[in-house]
Amino acid sequence: CNVLDQVAEYPTDASLVQLVRAMKLADKIHHTLYYTDLHSSSGSSAPPPLGLSIRWLEAELKQLKARMPSQAPHNGKLCCFRAQSNNDLTTTTAILQLHYNTLELHLYRVALINEPKPNYGDHPLIQLDLLFRCVEATTSFLQNILSLPSALFPFFPFTIMCQFGKAIVTLSQLSLYDHPGWDRAYVESIM
């Protein structure tokens, strides 16, 4: 990835590097927040507080977003489909933004998990904060995907369709989540 980033022989190399880095971060989020056997087999008495892990992963996501390519590929190709729009930079940015929104969804939807009970430490409002951020990430994903020209939809690769499905499932979970202090009517009003 680093070699490809430095050489940048083709216009699409920067976007490819960014997508690979996004998938690497998704894997790190999964293994840090969702892999339950990780802490039980390590001999540690308890995992670190969830807020600490989230802040660490948020910093990595922020660094990833800062590396977004500033130039669009000349031929308009990204994510295995050809952009039918004259504004390739907008399309490229929107597609990468969908990946970032999906990373945020993956990062914050940990608050929807009840078993095993996440370690929120001494800060009970962290779960509500994460739920709120999950609503924001879901809203951003849906706004970004709906901002793309509808002529592109049939050409989306399977990965984008999976991300769309994850956003819809997360929206459903947020709309039905039962927790003291969580306002389902708020989710309805936002969406």
Side-chain angles (χ1 to χ4, degrees), residues 11-58:
T12 54
D13 288 353
S15 297
L16 177 62
V17 167
Q18 197 69 356
L19 289 173
V20 170
R21 287 182 175 149
M23 293 307 111
K24 185 178 176 187
L25 182 56
D27 190 52
K28 185 180 281 189
I29 291 169
H30 177 76
H31 284 289
T32 302
L33 302 178
Y34 298 94
Y35 191 57
T36 56
D37 293 339
L38 183 67
H39 299 291
S40 61
S41 65
S42 68
S44 174
S45 59
L50 190 59
L52 195 61
S53 299
I54 296 286
R55 280 194 297 274
W56 171 62
L57 292 163
E58 282 175 332

Side-chain angles (χ1 to χ4, degrees), residues 80-169:
C80 306
F81 71 92
R82 179 155 178 83
Q84 302 296 319
S85 167
N86 291 333
N87 195 347
D88 289 340
L89 181 57
T90 303
T91 303
T92 301
T93 302
I95 294 296
L96 285 173
Q97 191 61 46
L98 289 175
H99 288 281
Y100 301 147
N101 293 142
T102 301
L103 287 172
E104 290 172 342
L105 274 171
H106 197 46
L107 184 62
Y108 299 132
R109 71 191 306 265
V110 71
L112 292 166
I113 295 174
N114 291 324
E115 294 296 327
K117 184 136 177 73
N119 175 13
Y120 292 107
D122 295 333
H123 307 286
L125 293 179
I126 288 178
Q127 184 177 17
L128 291 176
D129 181 53
L130 294 176
L131 288 167
F132 176 73
R133 291 178 187 205
C134 194
V135 169
E136 287 179 329
T138 306
T139 302
S140 292
F141 181 91
L142 294 172
Q143 286 173 342
N144 283 335
I145 202 164
L146 295 175
S147 72
L148 294 172
S150 60
L152 293 178
F153 290 10
F155 303 104
F156 280 159
F158 184 69
T159 54
I160 297 290
M161 297 312 294
C162 289
Q163 291 172 1
F164 181 71
K166 185 174 192 163
I168 295 297
V169 168

